[in-house]
Structure formats: C-alpha cells, structure tokens
Amino acid sequence: MLYVIGLGPGKEELMSREALQAIEDCEIIVGYSTYMRLIRDLVKDKEHVATGMRQEIDRCQKAIDLAIETGKNVGVVSSGDAGVYGMAGLILELIGEDSDLEVKVVPGITASLGAAAVMGAPLMNDFCHISLSDLMTPMPIIEKRLHAAAQGDFVICLYNPRSKGRPDHLSKALSIISQYKSEDTIVGIGKDIGRKKEEYVLTTIKDLDESLVDMTTIVIIGNKETYIKNGRMVTPRGYTL
C-alpha cells in the first residue's frame, strides 16, 4: 500500500486519526526534509527518505518504486492536505496505467482552514484558493484567476503569497484584486499556523504590511460583507439575525 498523507499545519493535535494511523502502519516514510522534522518523533523507528525542495517528482517516484519493489507499506507525507498543492496528484500521475499498486490518500487540514479557525470564521461563504507561485502555473494564468475571483467577490485564500524570489507577486495580486474589491476589504494574515510561532493579523487591503508576509504565511482576503467583530474576522453566511 502507498499512503499519501496530509500532515495538516504541523501540530500532531491537528493531524487526523487516520493520518496518525497511516504513519503508524507504514514501514517506510518519504517526505520533504522540513516536513520530516515535524513528525520526527512519529517516524524515529521507521526507515525514512528525506529530500530537499523542488525534488517532488524524484521523491514521489522513489516512494512508488519502494512500495512496488519492497511490498511494504510506504507513506509520502506533505503538509496541509495531500490533495491541495500536495503530493496526491503527482503520485496518481506518475503511477502507470497498468499498475496494481494500491494508493490511499489521507486528507489533512490545509492552511486556509487552519488559519480561518484561528482568525474567526472568514470562509463562511464561497471562497477559492489561488497560489501566487509561478513555478508550476504561468503568471498570466494566475492573473486571469485573480481577476475572475475578485470580480466574483469570492473570499480569496492566497497560497505562496510572497518569497525572496517572488517579492512583488503579492503587491501585484492586491493591485488586481483592488480593481474589484474596496481597499477597505478585511484581510487576514496567518503566519506559521499550527506551529510554535503561530500568529495572525487582521487588516485591510490598503493597510496590509507586506513585510509580514513570507512563504510560511497565508493571506485571506474577505468579500464585501466580511467584517471584524471582537477581534475576529467574520464573513456572514447570510442568516437573518
């Protein structure tokens, strides 16, 4: 069996029981070195294979080969949800059409859901995820999606919002979004959610301090109804109160 396991934000308490059981059942664990450190205590007695950033294809192929060649239970771990910018899709793409390797995808809490719970309830109405990383998706397509999401007044969860290699992507995204949403729209910045240094800031599009944002951050931009109450970010579902 090959398990593709979503670890959630980082804390063991935020992993699903199914994820913990899958890790327990695996004899070999494969993952990005940073994520392997998050579960060090859970995998210390197992064979494990850790690789660096941008080696996703090699990592997933290694996991597939190990599962086929050894016949052992192998787990591929990734943060958040395995099927949301995780390894589930790549694993299924790499497996041959005639393969009889059994694959089990184990869900986890993705960053937007973890951050939303900390901030309040910003995802109570329609929302979408957009990654600002152009490593896999060309920037013109990302920009097209930003226009569409903002025009539709979705609550927008921005993954990979800003990094040293992409310092201007967030400002470019906010410029596009501001063509359709008021600059007073509420924005939540969640940093290191589910980890020791977890913090969040509620602000607006016009007051957003981009220096607070990096690759461990998720940015949630509200819709026109989103507001702050008692220090929490709330997007109404539409109930008549």
Side-chain angles (χ1 to χ4, degrees):
M1 171 77 83
L2 176 58
Y3 292 93
V4 192
I5 306 166
L7 299 177
K11 288 182 181 175
E12 183 176 332
E13 308 93 277
L14 295 179
M15 293 182 197
S16 71
R17 292 179 67 179
E18 186 180 16
L20 290 169
Q21 187 61 56
I23 292 172
E24 176 66 25
D25 291 344
C26 286
E27 297 158 275
I28 305 172
I29 300 292
V30 180
Y32 172 43
S33 52
T34 297
Y35 304 150
M36 296 294 277
R37 283 196 290 274
L38 293 175
I39 56 170
R40 183 169 19 202
D41 291 341
L42 298 176
V43 302
K44 59 186 177 183
D45 298 327
K46 302 177 184 296
E47 180 181 346
H48 56 268
V49 178
T51 62
M53 188 177 289
R54 300 189 184 183
Q55 298 180 35
E56 291 87 355
I57 295 176
D58 291 342
R59 187 184 311 146
C60 288
Q61 189 61 61
K62 180 70 173 178
I64 293 169
D65 293 343
L66 284 169
I68 293 173
E69 292 167 7
T70 68
K72 295 179 178 178
N73 286 334
V74 176
V76 181
V77 297
S78 58
S79 67
D81 184 280
V84 180
Y85 308 122
M87 296 294 103
L90 182 54
I91 287 285
L92 295 177
E93 287 186 279
L94 286 171
I95 291 177
E97 291 185 0
D98 57 349
S99 174
D100 58 0
L101 177 62
E102 193 172 356
V103 177
K104 172 71 174 176
V105 178
V106 181
I109 299 174
T110 189
S112 62
L113 302 185
V118 172
M119 295 173 186
L123 307 182
M124 287 295 296
N125 214 309
D126 296 333
F127 65 95
C128 66
H129 292 167
I130 298 177
S131 171
L132 298 188
S133 170
D134 59 355
L135 293 176
M136 301 290 173
T137 305
M139 200 61 201
I141 293 178
I142 295 173
E143 292 177 1
K144 184 177 181 180
R145 291 171 180 168
L146 288 167
H147 278 285
Q151 187 174 32
D153 198 27
F154 282 85
V155 174
I156 303 172
C157 305
L158 297 178
Y159 281 62
N160 306 308
R162 188 168 181 265
S163 69
K164 291 181 180 177
R166 300 187 295 275
D168 301 324
H169 284 200
L170 178 59
S171 60
K172 186 180 295 184
L174 293 174
S175 175
I176 291 172
I177 290 168
S178 296
Q179 295 177 35
Y180 307 94
K181 292 177 180 279
S182 164
E183 290 192 334
D184 292 320
T185 301
I186 303 299
V187 177
I189 300 171
K191 189 173 179 63
D192 291 311
I193 296 299
R195 300 180 184 176
K196 290 181 180 178
K197 296 181 179 179
E198 173 183 285
E199 60 179 328
Y200 76 95
V201 172
L202 300 184
T203 183
T204 62
I205 290 177
K206 70 180 178 185
D207 292 328
L208 191 151
D209 180 357
E210 292 185 30
S211 69
L212 299 176
V213 179
D214 59 22
M215 286 297 285
T216 68
T217 307
I218 182 163
V219 176
I220 300 180
I221 301 171
N223 68 17
K224 65 181 180 182
E225 305 293 343
T226 302
Y227 65 100
I228 296 175
K229 181 178 182 181
N230 299 329
R232 311 299 294 276
M233 183 176 180
V234 180
T235 300
R237 177 70 180 89
Y239 295 108
T240 300
L241 304 178

